[in-house]
Structure formats: C-alpha cells, structure tokens
Amino acid sequence: MDDFVFEKGHTPPATPPPNNGFHVGGFQSSRPTQRFRSSYLDITTTSSSSSPSSPNHSTATLTLNDSLAHSLDKRRLEYIGNVTKNFQQFSSDQKQLFLSEILNCCDTPLLSFVHELIAPRLKIDFLKQLPIELSLHVISFIDDPQDLANASRVSSFWNSLLKDEATWKSLCLKHRYRRRSSFFDLNSSWQHQFQQHKQLQQQLQQRHHLDTTMEEEGRTTGSQQQQSHQHVSYRDYFWHKYNTEMAWRQGTGQVIHCQNDIGRALVTSLQMDDQYLVMGCDNHKVEVFDSNTGLHIRTLQGHEGGVWALQFIKRPSDDQRILVTGGCDRVVMVWNLETGQLIHSLSGHSSTVRCLRIDNEGKKAVTGSRDATVRIWDIENGVSHHVCTGHQASVRCMDIHDNLVATGSYDATAKLFDIQTGECRFTYFGHHSQIYSIAFDGIRIVTGSLDWSIKVWDPIGGSCLATLTGHTSLVGHLQLSTPYESSPLLVSGASDGCLRIWELRTFRCKHQVSAHDSSVSCLQADQKRILSGGSDGRVKLWNLETGHLIRDFTDPSRTVWKLQFTDTKAVVVSQKPRTDMVIPVDPSFLTANVQTVIELHKFDVNT
C-alpha cells in the first residue's frame, strides 16, 4: 500500500460545504463545526504519504480501519473517495435517503458493525453541556450518598463536579448532620485522627519524591498539621458521619473487651468522653480506662464506702479534667483525672452522697444526700459555699442548667435552687410517692416517680404544665432530646420494661415500646437513637423518631448495670457468668460465679 499515492484534492474536505439546511445569505450558519473521525482513505493516504522522519506519526496506533483499507485495491479506494466526496455535497434529505438505501443492503453482521460505530458518537454528557450552576443544581437532588459515589465514577468531569463543597454541605443538612464547627468542638479526637491519617498519606507520597533531612521533614509535617487543622472539607466530614452512622446501624464497629478486676462488685456510676472512661463501684474504688484503647489506666482509692455518684468535666480555664466522687462514706472527693491526684476531700454530709453535678465552668459542684440536704461546693478551693435545706427525705436525683439545679426527693417533691445564692426558688408539689428521676433543660423540669406518673413543671412560674401517664411501674429514667428541625422529645424508661417517647409541645405519647422483659435498668438518647439496657440482660438500639428496633446491641448477659454513648463509641457494663468455671447445678451458687464485663464499641472508621 506504500506505492499508492493520491493526488492532491482527492481527500474529502474536513468540513462539509454549505447546504440548503445551513446556508443563509451566502454565509454559513454559526453552528459548531462537526469533527469527523478519519475515514479509511484518510488513514491509507496518511500511511503512504507521511515522511519517515515525522516523529508524531506511529503506525502502531493504526486501528481496525487500517486492515479494511489495506484489503482494498487502488481503483476501489478511488471509487469510495468519490462517493464520500459526493455524499458530503448532498442535502440533508438526500443524505438520509442515501443512508437508508445503504443500510437496506446490509446484513445483520454489518448492521451490528454500524451500531458499534455509531453508538459512541451518540453519547452526550448532559451535565457537561449545561452551565456549571445548573449541573450543580441537578446533582443537589441526589439524596443517597451511594448514588453520589457511583456518579463520581462516570467520568473525570462528574468526579470533579462532585467535589464541590456546596453539594456536600447540602447533603449534610439533608441527613441532619451537625455543622463542622460544633462537630469539631465535641469530637476533637476524630479531627486529630483524621489529621494524622492525612499526614501519613502525604508523608508516604513525599518519600517517593523527596530526599530531605529529618529537620526539614519535621518542618514540613508541622506545616501540614496547621493546614489540616484549618480546613477539613464537607465531603470528608460527610463520609465520616455517614460511615459512622452505618456502623451504628449494622454493628460493624470494633468491640473491645476491657480487662478489669471489678469481679462481682456493682458498678453504680459511669461516664465517658473522647479520652477517659470512669466507673464508680460499691467496692470503694473508682476505675479509670482509656476510652480509645480500652486499657486500664489506674484505680482511684480513698473512699471508705461504696462510690454511688461521680462526674468529671474538662475545665475551660486550663483544659484539665476534674473528677468529683461521692458515696457511702459521706465524703466528697475532688480528683485530677489526668494524674489521679486527690485534690480535695470535702466533709459535711451526714449520710450517703446519692447524686452530684458539676457546673459548666468546673468550679462548683452540687451534691445531694440521704441526709435530705443539698450542698454547693467550691471545688477549686475545697470549701462549702451553701447548705440547701427544705427536703424532708433523701435527695435521690438532680440535674443542673446554668446557675440553677433541680432536685428530686423521696419526700415526693422537687425543688429548684440557685447555685450562686443557695436560695430555693420553687418547690414543686404533686407526686404521691418518691421521685426517682429528674431532667432539666432550662425550659422545663421533668420528674419521674414511684407513683408511675411523669410531671412537667415550669421552672419560671413554678406550675405543673402536664401529667404524663401510661407507665405501670416506677419511672426511673428520663432523657430530654431535641431532634434536628423537630419538637422537643422526652424519653422515659420504667420498671414495667417499656420505653415511651413523648412530644413535649402537645404532651402526647408519640411511641410506646415494649423494650425489655423486666425493668429498664439504664438508657440514653440523643437526636437520632436510643440505647436501652434491662434487667433481662439485653441491650437494644432504637430509632428515636420511629420507635422501631434497629438491632440487638450486644449478646445477652445476666443483667446490664450501666451504659453510655457518644457520637462514635458506646460502653456497656454488664454482669455475665464466668467462662473459666463450670456452672454449678445449685442455683444459689450462680451469684458467686459471675464477672463484670465492660464492652467498648467503636464506630469511628477513621480510628
């Protein structure tokens, strides 16, 4: 074929001449010029006429069209060239008629070849044809993140389009995920883990391209840390939240069994944050664990009786975690949780300290005791500020908001005290039996009682706003929650094994859930989910909005003592039979062959 050389002018023109469909006033229409693929003649002519010294031409790139062109003789190629030239000069109607006649002469294999040739030319990226604003608007209607992930694989243009921050920010709002600013404030550990992950990737890439000194690497890493701290995209944030949510629902997180020496002791109190897990026990000890690894850090000893109440807080003034504990020895102890050092030992109560709370600044603590008093302490200086009297029986529960503390007592009354002055602002009468649970959010006070009822109080006027009935036993657990773009809700758990979800604007029961076969021993709720544990030894995860069961959270145990969760992890403390001993036939020995099991569930996929 190298001997075939075509005369100039025989190659079909790159663009067709004006025809009746596109010729107006002697000028061609402004329609974009269509770019045609090379014909057989183009390839053959190029192959034979290009100079050997041309570096940009490579015969290795010839396609199937080359073999077709090489199978034809010179006379037929010239004929095809003439037909192509005439076809370019046809009108639109003439072209359609010509193609119809040609296709009618084709058998099935040829028609299949024509289809394969035409199909790629008919594919149009509609998002690429639209203005960028309209393309982003179209994408904003995709709610399913899996669909977005699939769309990002369609083409490089779609992938770049789906990196737009506004798209992912809108998706965060649709899924009711917390804004990034508050997310970082409450989940600084994830931000730190995410930064480390990004830095590791960057360092691995640099090792292939850079040969620097250790000092220069340190400066580069420090600069990267600062940049990562300043910006984390909505896309990364969304996928972290979404994957964490899926791990909660599907139970695909990591489960760590924390080794402990608690044995048969009762775990009376529990708190967890992004660094520490603290438990108070009736064996006089306070156990401290790492909430990321589950490793035991230390045991705080000093109490001479069971520890029945504790709380710790990260003090804003110096970022130190301060722990306050109280129990049967009537002493309130203040600890440095970071070091385990005992700071203050505060005496004053004449009976068991049953409940306590720390203010937001970490400077004052409020304790309630079986001696019927409420004491307000200055935990910075280790002195008592106020002794609040008025209750006629044990102070069983309390909740704090700003400078006010609401207390519930076995005398069937609730009180509201001012922390600054120690003054009792209101006393709430109405229950007919002991108050076991209380919740206070600054707008309303809610109390649960042994008389099976729940009462909602006005903290400003002191009146009873509503009495909620439906439980058939002691209401021992109350949680206030406000889902995103929804009315405030109350979750109650009782000894009848039921959970109830109440709408506080209408005071009606939204959902009634038969959760456990016996008493609800512990529960916690946030804006999306409820985690409940029962004396039947089961822990269950529920959807807050629908009241439906999501899944059984853990394997059954003998009983569930305590539980707590954050956005990315949960801890369950239960009692199970010992696995290293043979279960005795005599049931009276069962209590001697049990152990405390601490399960740490981690759903943060980035850790």
Side-chain angles (χ1 to χ4, degrees):
M1 295 299 295
D2 292 338
D3 295 334
F4 296 148
V5 179
F6 296 95
E7 296 180 5
K8 295 183 179 180
H10 281 246
T11 303
T15 57
N19 55 44
N20 293 336
F22 297 97
H23 190 272
V24 180
F27 295 93
Q28 187 174 349
S29 170
S30 59
R31 177 181 178 179
T33 302
Q34 185 176 2
R35 183 176 180 271
F36 288 91
R37 294 189 179 184
S38 299
S39 67
Y40 307 146
L41 295 177
D42 293 334
I43 298 173
T44 307
T45 304
T46 305
S47 302
S48 59
S49 62
S50 59
S51 75
S53 61
S54 176
N56 296 328
H57 179 74
S58 174
T59 57
T61 60
L62 298 180
T63 63
L64 177 63
N65 295 341
D66 300 281
S67 60
L68 292 175
H70 287 293
S71 65
L72 301 175
D73 56 24
K74 180 178 179 181
R75 182 176 59 83
R76 292 182 182 275
L77 288 174
E78 290 178 350
Y79 175 74
I80 294 176
N82 291 330
V83 172
T84 304
K85 180 179 179 180
N86 292 328
F87 180 80
Q88 297 283 0
Q89 297 175 353
F90 287 167
S91 67
S92 178
D93 293 339
Q94 291 172 339
K95 288 181 178 180
Q96 293 179 10
L97 178 62
F98 180 83
L99 290 175
S100 298
E101 293 297 327
I102 293 295
L103 292 176
N104 287 335
C105 299
C106 297
D107 57 8
T108 300
L110 281 176
L111 290 176
S112 178
F113 171 76
V114 172
H115 176 266
E116 292 178 358
L117 195 64
I118 293 175
R121 301 191 180 193
L122 296 179
K123 292 181 179 179
I124 298 176
D125 188 343
F126 71 98
L127 289 181
K128 203 169 185 178
Q129 304 300 320
L130 295 174
I132 189 68
E133 294 82 3
L134 290 180
S135 299
L136 292 174
H137 182 66
V138 170
I139 289 177
S140 68
F141 289 96
I142 303 178
D143 295 332
D144 189 350
Q146 295 297 336
D147 291 341
L148 280 177
N150 293 333
S152 67
R153 301 187 184 100
V154 171
S155 67
S156 58
F157 176 76
W158 283 39
N159 184 275
S160 62
L161 198 65
L162 288 169
K163 292 180 179 178
D164 182 73
E165 281 284 83
T167 301
W168 295 98
K169 182 177 180 180
S170 174
L171 201 61
C172 289
L173 296 176
K174 289 179 181 179
H175 284 257
R176 300 179 178 181
Y177 291 155
R178 202 180 280 121
R179 289 183 302 175
R180 289 188 299 166
S181 57
S182 59
F183 174 80
F184 289 157
D185 291 341
L186 297 177
N187 298 276
S188 57
S189 64
W190 173 80
Q191 185 188 19
H192 178 67
Q193 298 280 355
F194 178 80
Q195 291 167 6
Q196 288 184 333
H197 179 69
K198 287 285 188 180
Q199 292 161 18
L200 179 60
Q201 288 182 334
Q202 293 173 354
Q203 290 173 1
L204 290 175
Q205 293 175 357
Q206 289 176 358
R207 289 177 185 175
H208 294 286
H209 303 286
L210 298 177
D211 184 15
T212 60
T213 64
M214 292 298 295
E215 181 180 358
E216 290 174 338
E217 286 184 3
R219 288 199 296 266
T220 303
T221 303
S223 174
Q224 293 167 358
Q225 287 178 345
Q226 183 178 4
Q227 294 174 0
S228 297
H229 180 76
Q230 293 174 350
H231 177 70
V232 175
S233 69
Y234 275 102
R235 183 183 184 183
D236 293 332
Y237 162 71
F238 174 84
W239 280 114
H240 167 77
K241 294 288 288 184
Y242 179 79
N243 290 331
T244 301
E245 182 70 21
M246 290 299 102
W248 268 99
R249 289 183 169 274
Q250 299 170 5
T252 55
Q254 179 185 10
V255 180
I256 300 174
H257 292 271
C258 306
Q259 299 296 323
N260 66 88
D261 296 325
I262 298 176
R264 291 182 294 158
L266 169 65
V267 177
T268 62
S269 45
L270 170 71
Q271 186 180 346
M272 178 179 64
D273 70 356
D274 59 355
Q275 186 171 348
Y276 292 105
L277 168 62
V278 183
M279 286 176 287
C281 308
D282 68 349
N283 61 1
H284 311 179
K285 298 178 182 180
V286 177
E287 305 290 349
V288 183
F289 295 84
D290 187 316
S291 64
N292 292 307
T293 64
L295 297 177
H296 183 262
I297 298 176
R298 64 178 61 91
T299 299
L300 304 181
Q301 301 188 61
H303 282 287
E304 297 178 358
V307 179
W308 283 89
L310 66 79
Q311 186 183 4
F312 67 86
I313 188 172
K314 190 174 184 179
R315 199 158 49 191
S317 59
D318 55 7
D319 284 341
Q320 291 291 317
R321 287 176 173 83
I322 300 300
L323 169 67
V324 181
T325 60
C328 295
D329 59 1
R330 302 162 293 179
V331 177
V332 177
M333 292 189 174
V334 183
W335 312 78
N336 184 325
L337 186 56
E338 313 283 355
T339 64
Q341 178 187 3
L342 178 63
I343 301 175
H344 301 295
S345 181
L346 309 176
S347 301
H349 283 295
S350 59
S351 187
T352 300
V353 177
R354 197 63 185 83
C355 52
L356 66 84
R357 287 290 184 272
I358 307 175
D359 72 344
N360 293 332
E361 298 299 322
K363 297 180 178 181
K364 295 182 178 180
V366 185
T367 57
S369 171
R370 285 178 179 166
D371 62 11
T373 65
V374 174
R375 287 182 177 263
I376 301 173
W377 309 86
D378 178 354
I379 57 177
E380 281 192 314
N381 301 310
V383 296
S384 175
H385 267 190
H386 306 285
V387 180
C388 306
T389 60
H391 282 299
Q392 303 302 313
S394 173
V395 180
R396 176 64 173 77
C397 53
M398 65 171 53
D399 201 1
I400 195 171
H401 182 81
D402 290 337
N403 289 321
L404 298 174
V405 57
T407 61
S409 171
Y410 283 172
D411 63 6
T413 67
K415 290 181 179 291
L416 184 65
F417 293 98
D418 189 309
I419 297 176
Q420 297 294 335
T421 64
E423 174 190 1
C424 178
R425 293 194 175 183
F426 293 105
T427 300
Y428 304 97
F429 299 94
H431 283 294
H432 303 296
S433 190
Q434 296 98 315
I435 294 177
Y436 274 81
S437 55
I438 194 166
F440 177 37
D441 62 359
I443 300 175
R444 59 190 66 84
I445 299 173
V446 186
T447 55
S449 171
L450 185 61
D451 63 11
W452 308 355
S453 70
I454 301 170
K455 289 186 179 290
V456 183
W457 312 90
D458 180 3
I460 299 176
S463 60
C464 180
L465 301 177
T467 299
L468 311 179
T469 59
H471 284 294
T472 59
S473 188
L474 161 68
V475 182
H477 305 278
L478 296 173
Q479 284 270 303
L480 290 169
S481 176
T482 304
Y484 303 113
E485 299 180 0
S486 179
S487 61
L489 301 176
L490 170 69
V491 181
S492 61
S495 295
D496 57 9
C498 289
L499 298 177
R500 285 179 176 262
I501 304 172
W502 311 83
E503 284 189 350
L504 292 179
R505 289 181 181 172
T506 60
F507 301 114
R508 71 178 184 88
C509 182
K510 183 178 181 181
H511 301 294
Q512 177 183 354
V513 181
S514 297
H516 298 277
D517 296 333
S518 56
S519 300
V520 176
S521 59
C522 47
L523 73 83
Q524 184 181 342
D526 65 2
Q527 289 82 3
K528 288 187 174 183
R529 60 183 72 91
I530 305 170
L531 191 62
S532 67
S535 299
D536 59 359
R538 297 184 178 273
V539 180
K540 298 182 179 182
L541 183 66
W542 310 87
N543 185 300
L544 177 65
E545 293 193 4
T546 64
H548 293 159
L549 176 67
I550 298 177
R551 65 182 178 93
D552 287 325
F553 197 74
T554 62
D555 295 331
S557 59
R558 185 171 180 269
T559 188
V560 181
W561 293 134
K562 295 290 179 180
L563 59 80
Q564 195 173 74
F565 67 85
T566 63
D567 284 346
T568 58
K569 64 186 73 171
V571 60
V572 177
V573 182
S574 60
Q575 195 177 71
K576 293 185 177 181
R578 294 182 60 176
T579 57
D580 58 343
M581 296 185 65
V582 178
I583 298 178
V585 178
D586 187 353
S588 63
F589 289 98
L590 285 176
T591 57
N593 295 316
V594 296
Q595 62 181 346
T596 298
V597 176
I598 306 171
E599 291 184 359
L600 178 62
H601 298 252
K602 298 180 65 178
F603 304 106
D604 189 344
V605 295
N606 291 307
T607 58

